[in-house]
């Protein structure tokens, strides 16, 4: 701590503080329109000047560090004169009409407070653009603070805004000089968020606000914190909140894509299908019908003919109740969630080899690593806030290896980009491991203390030397060796991986082969290292962790463990089903064979999102009861639903989410649900009571459910709602005497869940049976893109649809020429399983012979193309490898 004096008062200030921060901590608020705490200070506006004894001239407090013994004056006559002069100069070029508006901008308040008169001395070029659906431009209000330029550069890393001209001709405009939409803008809204004058503003957030509520983003697994504004029971604006996850920044989906919550297409009353048509019914009729049918089917076919699917879009509390309902009320372990089709391979690999099926490190480690290795993930589009943090860390000097068939944004700036052939992950990582051992790059000290099985692994891995497998991977052997050396020599090195790793025949084994590299180099159990899956949806981690998985109970505790079973049976007052449960692919297979009869699907459109859509629809058609619980009448409900329960959105309920780095964060109700829609947890408890199970399902609120979760999952006992109210904590977080456990940011620091040592895994490569041939010569990969989210249910009901109106078939220029395809032209894509028609997008991001498309629009039915092949250990579908052919669609 440093000791200074401010206006005669002695103060104690933390070392490293800026003088501006010290002043604000003491209740002094100098004006600072050019300053934003997320940016490097530049002292451009000269309005925060203070006098420091011993300094010849006043200094900008924002750009001045506190030093021991500093004596500061903030209100001298000289400073008041300078403030009025500088503010008047600034106001001279500011429109009078803007000051009179009811706008909450810092500059307006300053002009009024200090009596500075705005003028109309506007002699500079003014950039005008009204093309963006979210961002408004009024550059006549620009005061050249450059906050928009700097936040786009220093936080988002997009470099959209630029200072043009010199002297009186200086002005701000996009880097291409044309429009925001053509400039590379990703619509994060940071420029509007930081602008102090309204020169850049959010078009839709200028109206009245009744309340601001802090909650967790409803989209990807990053778990950004945000402040949500409401008015007349509608969400009207969102702004970023400061947190360890998102550092007061949001992406386009989190900030702007909220209109789905009050879409006129929301289903707000229960529905039953009668004589082929949907009819509105009361909750009592819907629940009574559903309970009766479930009891009838269970009596006729047995409990294992029924199943429940939890949801990554539901809270931890709701997923806990979903799996408890399956096991206690229905009497079956047939329970699953969408983690099955994305990161169940990650969980399986991490738990098998290290003992815990979750990310080893924290997002906080991004700024503390020497190197990133990104494997089958595209974070700037799919996890944008993490992508921006990685971009900025690379700009600051961190190394970057990208392993991805496509030339993504981060691949374009990587030190090494290994554009491997889809499906060859195991080959590539084995080749890197072979290089490490051949060249003596392993960490012998770490291996001696923490790793078993080196001798057997050394013998096994020699068959995978880069020169032996490079042609199969489609990657140069020297590049593989360079990447292995770079990863081994950078200490620490941090791996992130995504669905390009997991959605393969060897998805689980691909992650295991990646863990081998971390074990060989000692990149586990320390800051800035680890193996970290980037979870797709907001609560994918939580839904599986709560027990929506046939072989595990809450906390990923093994259902087959007698002590675990006894503990849950005592807590629930009910015996657990003895038979092994079915996962979702197995449920659908059993439905096709007539052995599975009923499914309750919560917040998960399986008809649209499961692979080989035609096969999925055929299986659903065999079911005697399909209960759909969602916001909208989705494709599953349209195709096969018998009952529809209208659910509350995440803006309309309380609870918690669990993000990709094991952080449990609160979800808070912002508005009331429309019509008769209810939170998932209430629907589950009411159906349980209708089926005679009121005991065990009587909860007054989500906090009561969470307290029961804490009682059955030891690693969460320290995560009370009281602590989560103000803290961002990661499990494991056990209870302590002082209720002050800090949570666990880094796993495996002393040992592993499997013991003091982890064993290397000898993973033999197994090629997929999905191969190209003369009939299907091209290889298709599917995935997400920036503006939309999974099934598109939410984002296509927002103006994001204007930014990206459709899925596209991304194709290389060479392949487009070969097939005589032009940009935007419709093309029919056919596989061995189905067909889809998509507009063409020609891009140099694609390799020759490979295609990519997203799957967000239901009407395009992209999953009609994908196969039923799946991971050979956990049944995650192989979405990333489909052989196809493409032809032009003739204009009608």
């Amino acid at each position: 701590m440093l000791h200074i004096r401010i206006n005669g008062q002695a103060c104690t200030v933390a070392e490293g503080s800026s003088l501006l921060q010290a002043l604000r901590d003491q209740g002094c608020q100098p004006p600072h329109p050019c300053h934003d705490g997320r940016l490097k200070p530049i002292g451009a506006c000269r309005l925060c000047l203070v006098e420091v004894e011993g300094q010849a001239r006043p200094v900008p407090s924002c750009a001045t560090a506190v030093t021991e013994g500093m004596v500061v004056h903030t209100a001298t006559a000289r400073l008041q004169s300078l403030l009025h002069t500088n503010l008047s100069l600034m106001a001279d070029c500011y429109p009078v009409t803007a000051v009179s508006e009811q706008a909450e901008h810092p500059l307006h308040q300053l002009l009024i407070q200090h009596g500075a008169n705005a003028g109309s001395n506007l002699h500079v070029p003014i950039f005008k653009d009204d093309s963006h659906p979210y961002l408004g431009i009024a550059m006549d209000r620009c005061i050249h603070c450059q906050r928009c330029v700097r936040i786009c550069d220093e936080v988002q890393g997009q470099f959209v805004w630029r200072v043009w001209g010199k002297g009186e001709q200086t002005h701000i405009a996009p880097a291409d000089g044309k429009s925001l939409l053509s400039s590379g803008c990703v619509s994060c809204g940071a420029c509007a968020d930081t602008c102090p004058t309204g020169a850049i503003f959010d078009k839709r957030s200028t109206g009245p606000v009744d309340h601001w509520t802090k909650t967790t983003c409803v989209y990807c697994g990053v778990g950004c914190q945000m402040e949500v504004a409401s008015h007349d029971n509608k969400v009207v604006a969102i702004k970023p909140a400061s947190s360890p996850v998102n550092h007061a920044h949001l992406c386009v989906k989190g900030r702007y894509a909220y209109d789905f919550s009050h879409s006129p297409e929301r289903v707000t009353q229960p529905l039953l299908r009668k004589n082929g048509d949907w009819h509105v019914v009361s909750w009592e009729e819907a629940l009574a019908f559903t309970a009766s049918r479930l009891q009838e089917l269970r009596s006729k076919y047995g409990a294992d003919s029924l199943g429940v699917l939890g949801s990554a879009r539901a809270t931890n509390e709701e997923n806990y109740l979903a799996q408890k309902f399956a096991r206690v009320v229905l009497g079956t372990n047939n329970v699953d969630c969408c983690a099955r089709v994305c990161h169940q391979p990650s969980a399986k690999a991490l738990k098998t080899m290290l003992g815990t099926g979750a990310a080893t490190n924290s997002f906080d480690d991004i700024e503390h690593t020497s190197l990133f290795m990104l494997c089958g993930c595209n974070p700037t589009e799919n996890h944008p806030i993490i992508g921006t943090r990685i971009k900025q860390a690379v700009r600051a000097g961190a190394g970057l290896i990208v392993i991805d068939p496509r030339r993504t944004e981060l691949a374009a700036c990587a030190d090494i980009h290994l554009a491997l052939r889809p499906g060859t992950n195991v080959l590539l990582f084995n080749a890197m491991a072979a290089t490490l051992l051949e060249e003596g790059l392993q960490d012998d000290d770490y291996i001696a203390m923490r790793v078993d099985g080196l001798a057997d692994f050394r013998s096994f891995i020699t068959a995978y030397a880069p020169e032996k497998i490079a042609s199969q991977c489609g990657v140069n052997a020297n590049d593989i060796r360079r990447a292995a050396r770079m990863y081994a020599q950078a200490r620490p090195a941090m791996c992130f991986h995504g669905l390009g790793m997991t959605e393969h025949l060897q998805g689980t084994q691909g992650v295991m082969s990646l863990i081998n590299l971390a074990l060989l180099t000692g990149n586990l159990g320390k800051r800035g290292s680890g193996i970290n899956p980037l979870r797709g949806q907001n609560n994918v981690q939580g839904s599986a962790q709560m027990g929506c998985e046939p072989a595990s109970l809450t906390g990923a505790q093994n259902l087959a463990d007698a002590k675990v079973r006894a503990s849950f049976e005592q807590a629930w007052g009910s015996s657990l089903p003895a038979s092994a449960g079915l996962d979702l692919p197995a449920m659908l297979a059993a439905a096709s064979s007539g052995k599975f009869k009923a499914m309750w699907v919560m917040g998960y459109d399986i008809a649209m999102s499961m692979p080989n859509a035609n096969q999925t629809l055929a299986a659903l058609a065999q079911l005697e009861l399909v209960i759909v619980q969602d916001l909208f009448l989705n494709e599953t409900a349209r195709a096969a639903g018998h009952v529809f329960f209208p659910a509350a959105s995440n803006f309309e309920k309380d609870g918690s989410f669990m993000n990709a780095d094991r952080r449990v964060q609160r979800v808070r109700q912002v508005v009331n649900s429309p019509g008769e829609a209810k939170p998932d947890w209430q629907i589950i408890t009411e159906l349980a009571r209708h089926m005679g199970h009121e005991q065990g399902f009587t909860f007054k609120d989500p906090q009561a459910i969470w307290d029961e979760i804490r009682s059955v999952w030891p690693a969460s006992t320290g995560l009370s709602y009281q602590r989560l109210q103000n803290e961002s904590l990661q499990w494991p977080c056990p209870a302590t005497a002082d209720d002050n456990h800090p949570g666990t940011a880094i796993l495996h620091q002393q040992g592993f869940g499997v013991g003091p040592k982890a064993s290397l895994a000898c993973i033999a490569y197994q090629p997929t049976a999905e191969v190209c041939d003369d009939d299907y010569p091209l290889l298709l990969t599917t995935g997400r893109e920036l503006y939309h989210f999974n099934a598109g249910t939410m984002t296509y009901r927002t103006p994001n649809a204007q930014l990206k109106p459709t899925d596209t078939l991304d194709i290389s220029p060479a392949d487009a020429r070969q097939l005589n395809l032009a940009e935007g032209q419709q093309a029919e894509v056919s596989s061995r399983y189905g067909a889809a028609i998509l507009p063409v997008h020609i891009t140099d991001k694609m390799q020759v012979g490979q295609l990519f498309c997203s799957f967000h629009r239901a009407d395009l039915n992209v999953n009609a193309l994908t196969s039923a092949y799946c991971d050979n250990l956990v049944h995650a579908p192989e979405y990333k490898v489909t052989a196809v052919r493409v032809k032009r669609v003739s204009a009608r």
Side-chain angles (χ1 to χ4, degrees), residues 371-659:
L371 176 135
F372 299 98
M373 187 156 72
L374 307 182
C375 312
C377 60
N378 184 13
T380 55
E381 290 204 47
N382 299 155
H383 303 84
I385 298 305
I386 297 308
T388 63
R389 289 178 66 177
I390 291 171
K391 268 198 297 189
Q392 297 299 355
V394 170
R395 288 184 66 204
L400 177 61
I401 301 168
V402 173
I403 299 170
D404 197 296
R406 293 191 295 157
R407 188 172 178 268
T408 62
E409 181 181 359
L410 286 171
C413 61
D415 297 285
I416 301 172
H417 173 206
L418 301 179
L420 79 171
R421 183 171 292 114
T424 60
N425 294 329
V426 168
L427 275 179
L428 178 66
F429 293 123
N430 279 354
M432 291 179 68
T435 301
L436 296 178
L437 293 178
E438 179 190 327
E439 299 186 10
L441 299 172
Q442 72 276 7
D443 186 332
D444 290 323
D445 292 340
Y446 182 88
I447 291 171
M449 291 187 296
R450 305 288 302 276
V451 181
D452 275 335
L454 179 62
D456 288 344
F457 186 78
R458 189 186 292 273
S459 298
F460 162 79
I461 209 69
T462 55
Y464 292 90
E467 290 74 16
K468 296 179 181 179
I469 60 85
S471 61
Q472 289 176 270
C473 286
V475 178
N476 182 278
N478 288 333
D479 289 339
I480 297 174
R481 289 190 178 275
R482 284 176 55 225
R485 293 171 192 144
M486 191 173 178
Y487 176 70
Q489 292 166 356
R491 304 292 175 91
M494 190 173 194
C495 289
F496 286 108
H497 70 270
L499 305 189
M501 279 286 292
T502 61
E503 291 178 341
H504 289 281
L505 179 76
Q506 288 190 291
T508 301
Q509 293 159 315
V511 179
M512 293 173 75
S513 63
L514 184 60
I515 296 170
N516 283 337
L517 298 180
L519 289 170
L520 288 170
T521 57
N523 273 304
L524 286 166
K526 61 185 70 170
R527 191 168 199 183
S529 68
I531 303 295
N532 303 285
L534 288 173
R535 297 283 184 155
Q537 293 198 63
N538 44 13
N539 205 31
V540 166
Q541 179 73 56
S543 55
Q545 199 73 20
M546 289 300 101
C548 287
E549 201 274 322
S552 300
L553 293 163
T554 307
Q557 297 176 80
N558 188 355
L559 180 64
D561 186 309
K563 291 184 178 179
V564 170
R565 290 178 65 90
S567 173
F568 275 83
E569 287 176 342
Q570 181 177 4
W572 289 351
S574 174
S575 60
L576 292 176
S579 57
L582 302 176
D583 59 29
L584 173 55
M587 291 182 205
L588 292 173
S592 294
S593 65
K595 297 177 181 178
F596 188 75
K597 300 298 181 180
M599 182 184 290
W600 186 1
V601 188
M602 305 180 193
Y604 186 8
D605 192 357
I606 58 175
M608 180 179 172
S609 59
M610 286 299 286
N612 199 343
N614 294 325
Q615 186 181 81
T616 298
L617 291 171
L620 289 172
Q622 297 298 310
L623 294 174
E624 295 187 27
L625 179 65
V626 176
I627 310 153
V628 176
Q629 188 164 307
D630 214 314
L631 309 184
F632 303 98
L633 203 64
N634 59 27
E635 299 307 303
T636 304
R638 289 190 178 97
H642 301 94
V643 182
F644 190 96
F645 292 150
S649 80
N650 293 324
F651 292 120
E652 299 157 6
K653 59 188 176 184
D654 289 317
S656 64
F657 286 156
M658 187 183 299
N659 80 340

Side-chain angles (χ1 to χ4, degrees), residues 730-758:
Q730 294 161 279
W731 61 267
C733 185
T736 59
D738 60 1
D739 194 29
N740 199 33
H741 191 285
T744 306
I746 303 171
L747 297 178
H748 316 308
Q749 294 186 69
Q750 304 301 323
F752 301 98
V754 292
K757 291 187 175 183

Side-chain angles (χ1 to χ4, degrees), residues 314-337:
T315 63
N316 292 317
E317 295 79 2
E318 291 164 336
N319 280 291
Y320 172 78
L321 288 187
Q323 59 88 34
K324 183 179 180 181
F325 181 97
R327 290 175 164 121
V328 172
V329 179
L330 298 182
T332 181
N333 289 310
N334 294 343
V335 59
D336 210 359
C337 64

